[in-house]
Amino acid sequence: MSASGLSTVRLGRMREVLTGHVARGDLPGLVALVARRGEVHVEAIGTTEAGGGGGPMRRDAIFRIASVTKPVTAAAAMILVEECRLRLDDPVDELLPELADRKVLRRPDGPLDDTVSAHRPITLRDLLTYRMGLGAVMAPPGEYPIQRAMDEAGLSPGPEPAPIEPDEWMKRLGNLPLVHQPGEKWMYHTGSDVLGVLMARATGRPLEEFLKERLLELLGMKDTGFHVPADKLARLPAAYRLDPETGALVLDDDPRQTLWGRPPAFPSAAGGLVSTADDLLAFCTMMLNKGRYGGERILSRLSVELMTTDQLTEEQKAENAVFFGGGSGWGLGVNVVTRRNDLAAVPGRFGWNGGTGTSVYTDPAEELIGILLTQRHMTSPMPPAVFRDFWTCAYQAIDD
């Protein structure tokens, strides 16, 4: 056993299990990273394209990280809070007038014109905790009028950035009623996209510029951004979806003509970033160190502790059990484990999964960081088998 307390033999078991997923054709390839007390163990398994194409998977492969974007942009927002350029409980109306004087549906499944006035304005805290009153509706697609309206406006949550500019996106959002009163219920995703527009307007700069200068560059996250530059496209694996009828992998994004090869019209703070295992390790290390990275303090200890503390009541979580599983909650931009009900469910562990097949968590109690990057889209909010097996293997490798 090394000073990290990780068993070499048991880490070998992780490689064996993950290799099995690739060998069975569950996914073409993956990069898995486990770090503890300064020791970093990385596995790059499989290929960058299905059928063995594209060459071997590389440690420095650049993945579409989808909702793993959310903790990164939440940390950037807390930088602005610490500088008093934004305040958690101030209304966002001044910078986001599109969200002023909101109307709220009387019933989530009701007609769009059957509304009441919002009891109070939306705040930054509402955006970070997903209690702004609008987001993913947990009902079959297109069942409620508000779902259909979000689809038609190009505002529905999804893995690909909206093809419209931020101002137009906000205008369309402002034309819709809220589903719930601000602060009342947790609704996934949309709060982070609004957060990105808020940060851009608060700084007077494009979101990507602010994020790069104030967070990514300080952490050395040189391969993280909202698109992949031309000279790095060779490191972008193909992305796949699972055909629900045949069970076969279907190409979703070809790296030779990828959507990610140019800056997006809408840089999504909810799911728009690409990144690598080592870049994400730098971010997680900063969060594990309570805001400090190298000799630099990025965030205060208090900000990190606030971000990684569950902010929700049981009532606010009630309609989203599929996300929380009875053992976790939501802080500011991150999922937080609250109950030990699984091998990897250590209270205080925080992070999130991305719909394009990514899972990144940090565990302060065990001093453990785990990063799994794959190319296969998730088919539901429930973590796929490869996620569950990775986390089981990461935790069973702890030998102290």
Side-chain angles (χ1 to χ4, degrees), residues 3-338:
S4 71
L6 293 172
S7 163
T8 302
V9 172
R10 286 172 170 265
L11 286 171
R13 182 181 295 168
M14 181 175 76
R15 178 174 180 81
E16 181 180 334
V17 169
L18 295 179
T19 298
H21 282 280
V22 173
R24 289 189 295 273
D26 297 343
L27 60 169
L30 58 85
V31 175
L33 181 153
V34 177
R36 192 170 191 246
R37 298 173 186 165
E39 179 181 320
V40 180
H41 180 85
V42 181
E43 300 285 1
I45 300 170
T47 55
T48 61
E49 296 182 27
M57 183 59 72
R58 298 166 43 167
R59 174 173 176 162
D60 66 351
I62 299 173
F63 288 82
R64 309 153 190 83
I65 64 171
S67 288
V68 172
T69 299
K70 292 173 168 71
V72 178
T73 51
M78 292 307 295
I79 291 173
L80 294 178
V81 170
E82 292 191 347
E83 294 176 350
C84 300
R85 298 166 78 180
L86 292 174
R87 299 179 186 88
L88 285 172
D89 294 310
D90 277 4
V92 298
D93 299 4
E94 184 176 343
L95 290 170
L96 302 175
E98 300 92 338
L99 297 184
D101 302 318
R102 290 291 75 212
K103 296 295 183 181
V104 183
L105 293 174
R106 289 183 186 274
R107 314 189 320 268
D109 61 347
L112 298 184
D113 58 357
D114 186 12
T115 63
V116 297
S117 295
H119 298 331
R120 65 163 176 81
I122 295 168
T123 66
L124 172 58
R125 188 187 299 272
D126 294 327
L127 302 183
L128 287 164
T129 58
Y130 295 164
R131 294 180 295 191
M132 68 171 288
L134 194 61
V137 177
M138 292 296 104
E143 182 168 318
Y144 296 173
I146 187 64
Q147 289 172 289
R148 297 193 291 273
M150 290 181 75
D151 284 343
E152 291 167 7
L155 302 173
S156 293
E160 297 171 2
I164 51 179
E165 301 286 339
D167 288 351
E168 174 62 22
W169 190 91
M170 284 302 308
K171 178 182 176 183
R172 296 183 189 184
L173 191 74
N175 289 332
L176 297 179
L178 301 180
V179 178
H180 297 291
Q181 289 286 345
E184 186 178 51
K185 296 282 186 179
W186 189 88
M187 295 191 74
Y188 187 51
H189 189 83
T190 304
S192 283
D193 272 339
V194 177
L195 176 69
V197 181
L198 178 69
M199 288 192 286
R201 292 185 182 178
T203 59
R205 305 174 64 189
L207 176 61
E208 54 269 43
E209 283 186 15
F210 165 70
L211 193 64
K212 181 178 180 181
E213 180 183 315
R214 298 305 309 279
L215 186 64
L216 304 181
E217 286 184 344
L218 297 177
L219 295 173
M221 296 174 69
K222 61 183 184 300
D223 293 322
T224 302
F226 289 105
H227 78 289
V228 183
D231 61 348
K232 297 182 180 181
L233 277 173
R235 293 160 53 196
L236 180 72
Y240 296 88
R241 295 180 183 274
L242 197 66
D243 186 318
E245 294 184 4
T246 66
L249 293 175
V250 177
L251 184 65
D252 181 74
D253 187 58
D254 187 332
R256 285 167 287 273
Q257 45 193 350
T258 178
L259 293 172
W260 304 92
R262 58 187 183 277
F266 184 87
S268 170
L273 289 177
V274 296
S275 193
T276 63
D278 284 293
D279 275 13
L280 290 167
L281 174 62
F283 176 76
C284 293
T285 299
M286 181 273 290
M287 295 293 285
L288 181 63
N289 291 338
K290 299 291 181 74
R292 187 178 289 280
Y293 186 77
E296 189 99 26
R297 178 160 288 286
I298 310 297
L299 284 172
S300 71
R301 172 178 59 83
L302 289 307
S303 286
V304 175
E305 289 175 352
L306 176 64
M307 287 180 66
T308 58
T309 299
D310 184 15
Q311 303 289 316
L312 303 182
T313 66
E314 291 306 313
E315 184 181 2
Q316 289 165 343
K317 302 175 195 178
E319 295 172 14
N320 289 280
V322 68
F323 286 98
F324 298 118
S328 71
W330 197 259
L332 303 183
V334 296
N335 177 248
V336 183
V337 175
T338 57

